[in-house]
Amino acid sequence: MSRRIKASLLTRMTALVVVAVAPAVAPALGCHLDKVLDPVVDPLKAAVSTLDDAIQKITAASGSWQTVLQSSLSKLTADAQSTVRNEIQTLLNNTIATVQVSVMCTVDFVGHRVVQVLQEIKAELLGGPPPAPDPVVCSSSPIAVEFAAWQENRVPVVTLTGYDLKAPLQVKLVQTTGAAVVPNVLASVSPYQATINLGTTGLKLTPQSQKISVLTTANPPVELSGINVIQPQPKICEERDTPPLAIGPVSLVADSHTGGDGEFNGNGPHVQIAFQMFPLGTDLRYLMTIIATETGGDGTQFRGFGGGTLSLNPPLPAGFTIVSVNGATASAADYTDQDSKDDHVSPNNGGPVREFVVVGDTSGDDFGKTGIKSVSFNTVGLHIKETGNCVTKAEARTLIASGKVTPELVQHLQAALKK
């Protein structure tokens, strides 16, 4: 997706307005030159506010992304907001198209991606650095590779579909004898598609191969996709629900000062919080936002956005990956601070969060202090599946219908499904 919004554009627009009006009206304006700049500054503030509101709403309810984006488009009416409108319209069109070709991408993944692009648009609008790409693999075709079929050249390539797949990625071949990164076998076709070469010049499988792992290049790397290598006589994977797991606390500082003098001074603030979690391989990830707005005074406002990986106790069993969360994945809170003490706030919609401990107003300057001091959680249950030389029942049916496995494997899987 193109990023045409440049901070220098705003600078040039401001300069042109100042040059145009200063000779004629500067004496009369005195200290009120900011009023002349309002036509330039106000559309920028309005656009940033619209983006922040969209981020907040989608984080609170991932499935609302399409409605929220359409609503955001209707709010960006000024000529100065036309580029932002185009960016959001492109995001809406691309997301709809990607969902249509990648039905395995969950609502949470789609909402997460939309929030990330809105953050990118906002960063460029304000002239700041965009957030680091956070690639997601929604599906692979085929969903698993049979070693015998690969030997017969039935599977020359694996196609990955997802988001931000032009980001640096690596492929690791996991074998019973160990694991190693294999260079120069992954090619990015577009931000939404990448391929792994399994042909004569690509990744070489062996009878010991267990999995083709696609990972980020971060430290430590995050596995985005694990494509099982099926050796002879695979079993049906074990799937089960975990017992209730404890989640470690997280926090967030409102580190974006978007209005006012930096102090609430007893005027609230009105605080809005949204939290969303979603599984990614063996990790349980989260996104969180906070908006704190002064209820009087000069409209001081702070905003914060963050995310990461949640710690689980006990940790996920070795050899298993997360399929889904059993239960609600989103929590939100909306209240007005009444004093300078920490606020203990329960979500207004239930969900995974038990309590937000929030720093709203303080006895002095508030910027850098206001934020979510800690989030405590209810226990969570996960649906997990075994990895290794196995396929789930759903994967078995897909492989049978794919035409990319040997007749022997088809016969074996059909028999396994009848047990």
Side-chain angles (χ1 to χ4, degrees), residues 25 56 58 60-61 76 134 164 186 202 210 251 267 290 329 332 340 373 419:
V25 301
Q56 179 85 359
I58 296 171
L76 298 168
D134 193 4
D164 273 340
L186 186 142
Q210 295 181 306
S251 61
N267 299 309
I290 180 172
T329 59
S340 59
K373 189 173 183 178
K419 293 181 180 179

Side-chain angles (χ1 to χ4, degrees), residues 368-392:
K369 302 174 184 176
T370 297
I372 303 170
K373 189 173 183 178
S374 69
V375 182
S376 58
F377 297 91
N378 301 310
T379 56
V380 63
L382 304 175
H383 186 68
I384 60 177
K385 73 172 183 177
E386 181 185 11
T387 59
N389 188 35
C390 67
V391 294
T392 65

Side-chain angles (χ1 to χ4, degrees), residues 140-145 155-160 194-198 212 227:
S140 68
S141 178
I143 58 173
V145 177
V155 193
V157 67
V158 172
T159 300
L160 307 173
T195 59
I196 302 173
N197 180 8
L198 299 185
I212 302 167
I227 300 130

Side-chain angles (χ1 to χ4, degrees), residues 340-356:
S340 59
K341 299 177 181 178
D342 291 354
D343 303 308
H344 294 256
V345 183
S346 298
N348 54 23
N349 64 335
V353 173
R354 181 171 66 248
E355 181 183 71
F356 297 102

